[in-house]
Amino acid sequence: MPVDPVCGIELDEELALLHDHDGKKFYFCCNGCRRIFIKKPRKYKNN
Ligand SMILES: [Zn+2]
């Protein structure tokens, strides 16, 4: 199950927001979390 790297919530892959970063797929619970990640991807992408 994908995990939102910003808030740590486990997500349903079909409902989550998808974002591609450096060829990797990241999933988010909401646009707010996605925007936070896009601003500071280095803070979150190693999770
Ligand atoms: Zn979230």
Side-chain angles (χ1 to χ4, degrees), residues 9-20:
I9 288 176
E10 284 193 348
L11 301 164
D12 184 328
E13 202 172 329
E14 291 186 2
L15 301 176
L17 294 174
L18 177 62
H19 173 66
D20 268 304

Side-chain angles (χ1 to χ4, degrees), residues 4-9 11 27-30 32-34:
D4 183 323
V6 176
C7 67
I9 288 176
L11 301 164
Y27 294 88
F28 301 92
C29 67
C30 63
C33 282
R34 196 171 73 158

